[in-house]
Amino acid sequence: MKQWKYAAMVALVLTLLVSVFVLLPGEAQAAEPETVGAAYDFSAIQEPTLVKRDGVWYYVKDGAVCMDTTLVKYNGEWFYVKGGTLASDTTTLVKFNGGWYYIYKGKLAANTTTLVKFNGEWGYVVNGKVASSTTQLVKYNNEWWYVVKGKVASNTTTLVKYNNEWWYVVKGKIAGNTTTLVKYNNEWWYVVKGKIASNTTTLVKFNGSWY
């Protein structure tokens, strides 16, 4: 008899607990996150575009908010969207249709030519796009950098020809304060302030000897 009463009490407690979970679901489990833009009706919008609602720009296509991370063209300009909305606080490089583009505060910086740091490397951006086929010297912050296929060659020390003159590059940057002898293609060249002194005839002391 005592065992029967104990079992009945356990059953009653379990029943009460189940009732609490059914009647108070908000306290028993976390609410599901609200869908982005769910408060608005976008069913009439089929073509990919940006739509502003209550101060927020949504990426909409096929009648609903699209959660893709991509670039979207709007009013003749390109914008970066992520998680269904315009990423207006984002400045980065973004890969799109096989190329890399410079996004400044959520918008393609189409008129910008500069060096941009991304993932620990510096990329050369021309008119908003990484110039992946460009190899040359580039001026940035009053210094000159050696760019190879769109990226600063930060591990390269060599001589580089630019505007019909030869420049001494050390770890990707012109060594503008350096005067020394430099070996290149099995020959030695006299560099003065980062540039080959092609019209100079003189004696030069290097590593304790005169040349």
Side-chain angles (χ1 to χ4, degrees), residues 70-72 78-81 86-96 100-110 112 116 125 128-129:
T70 185
L71 294 183
V72 178
W78 289 88
F79 296 85
Y80 179 50
V81 295
L86 175 64
S88 57
D89 293 330
T90 300
T91 296
T92 185
L93 291 179
V94 173
K95 192 173 184 179
F96 180 72
W100 285 89
Y101 295 85
Y102 178 42
I103 304 301
Y104 181 75
K105 293 184 177 180
K107 179 180 175 183
L108 174 63
T112 299
V116 177
V125 170
K129 183 180 180 181

Side-chain angles (χ1 to χ4, degrees), residues 13-133:
V13 171
L14 290 175
T15 301
L16 290 173
L17 288 174
V18 170
S19 298
V20 169
F21 275 89
V22 171
L23 294 175
L24 302 173
E27 296 179 17
Q29 57 187 9
E32 293 185 1
E34 182 180 355
T35 304
V36 174
Y40 308 103
D41 181 13
F42 298 115
S43 58
I45 304 172
Q46 297 300 311
E47 295 298 320
T49 188
L50 293 177
V51 180
K52 192 174 185 180
R53 293 287 187 273
D54 294 329
V56 178
W57 285 94
Y58 295 94
Y59 173 38
V60 179
K61 72 173 184 178
D62 298 327
V65 174
C66 179
M67 303 300 289
D68 290 349
T69 295
T70 185
L71 294 183
V72 178
K73 196 172 186 179
Y74 179 75
N75 284 349
E77 296 182 302
W78 289 88
F79 296 85
Y80 179 50
V81 295
K82 186 176 182 180
T85 61
L86 175 64
S88 57
D89 293 330
T90 300
T91 296
T92 185
L93 291 179
V94 173
K95 192 173 184 179
F96 180 72
N97 285 349
W100 285 89
Y101 295 85
Y102 178 42
I103 304 301
Y104 181 75
K105 293 184 177 180
K107 179 180 175 183
L108 174 63
N111 297 319
T112 299
T113 295
T114 185
L115 291 179
V116 177
K117 194 172 186 179
F118 180 71
N119 285 347
E121 296 183 311
W122 287 86
Y124 179 43
V125 170
V126 178
N127 293 331
K129 183 180 180 181
V130 173
S132 57
S133 61

